[in-house]
Amino acid sequence: MTDRRAICGAKTRQGGTCQNPPVAGATRCRMHGGSSPQAKAAADRRLAVAAAEREVARLGARRDIHPAEALLELVHWTAGEVDYWRAKVVELADTDEDALTWGVTRVKDGGDDRGTTEEAGPNVAYRMLTDASNRLAAYAAAALKAGVEERRVRLAEKQGALVADVIRGILTDLHLTPEQELLVGTVVPNRLRQLAATEGAPA
């Protein structure tokens, strides 16, 4: 089996590539920037994400849920995301107005182009707020649409049952002859189809 052990891969002074293992969660070894504060912070984030993914895989079991209910759950969770990132954006704005439009956009350890880059651009908190807000709007619209369609189906079912009851009452009151009763199975469905076509036609 091929050894897929991760290596640092940074360029060495001798012109080769570093074969040392990277710091846990990082992409570089201790000697090539893996222990820097920025690298440690990034490594901690990667390790946290990996742990969360393992937890989801362990706990994520199938469950039966109606599509409309699933959408409502997404609405609730995403609304929480929006509140969280909005608070972060407000906190940044209160601390430093420039923080929302200027900051670190790139941190690279090792190589000739290593270093920290700062430039104008929306802060990650603002981008996350925008993304969460857009998803919340989409989930809310889908949930509303699903709810409207469900109500329409239920209303149609109730109306259909009322029409059937009315037709049965009319036929009973008419005291139809056996020959006329034989025509009910053909005449009534045809008339109902005509009614449905009229209701579905554009105004």
Side-chain angles (χ1 to χ4, degrees):
M1 182 176 180
T2 303
D3 183 8
R4 298 184 180 277
R5 179 177 65 90
I7 62 173
C8 172
K11 186 177 180 180
T12 65
R13 293 178 180 177
Q14 291 73 30
T17 55
C18 178
Q19 299 297 307
N20 291 326
V23 173
T27 58
R28 295 290 188 229
C29 71
R30 181 178 59 83
M31 299 299 294
H32 290 106
S35 295
S36 68
Q38 298 92 338
K40 285 183 177 180
D44 289 342
R45 288 194 296 271
R46 293 191 190 98
L47 292 173
V49 170
E53 289 176 346
R54 289 194 298 270
E55 193 68 9
V56 169
R58 184 175 72 85
L59 297 177
R62 175 181 173 179
R63 64 188 176 105
D64 293 328
I65 185 171
H66 190 281
E69 291 297 324
L71 282 170
L72 288 176
E73 283 192 9
L74 287 172
V75 169
H76 293 158
W77 279 103
T78 312
E81 281 187 60
V82 170
D83 288 343
Y84 173 81
W85 288 115
R86 183 181 291 118
K88 287 294 184 182
V89 167
V90 171
E91 181 182 336
L92 283 170
D94 289 342
T95 304
D96 181 2
E97 293 182 359
D98 294 335
L100 293 178
T101 56
W102 181 273
V104 175
T105 58
R106 179 177 175 273
V107 177
K108 187 176 187 298
D109 298 311
D112 296 335
D113 59 344
R114 64 183 177 276
T116 300
T117 301
E118 293 188 17
E119 58 185 359
N123 185 279
V124 64
Y126 183 80
R127 294 199 299 270
M128 295 300 290
L129 173 60
T130 300
D131 174 70
S133 298
N134 289 338
R135 285 186 288 110
L136 177 58
Y139 293 148
L144 286 173
K145 182 178 179 182
V148 168
E149 294 303 321
E150 186 174 2
R151 285 195 296 272
R152 284 183 177 177
V153 171
R154 290 180 178 176
L155 179 60
E157 290 174 345
K158 290 181 179 179
Q159 289 177 335
L162 288 174
V163 171
D165 288 338
V166 170
I167 291 174
R168 280 194 294 268
I170 292 173
L171 296 178
T172 299
D173 292 340
L174 289 175
H175 303 292
L176 301 178
T177 64
E179 292 77 15
Q180 290 172 327
E181 288 180 352
L182 291 176
L183 295 175
V184 170
T186 301
V187 173
V188 173
N190 285 339
R191 292 296 183 182
L192 290 177
R193 279 193 290 270
Q194 291 175 7
L195 177 62
T198 300
E199 290 180 343

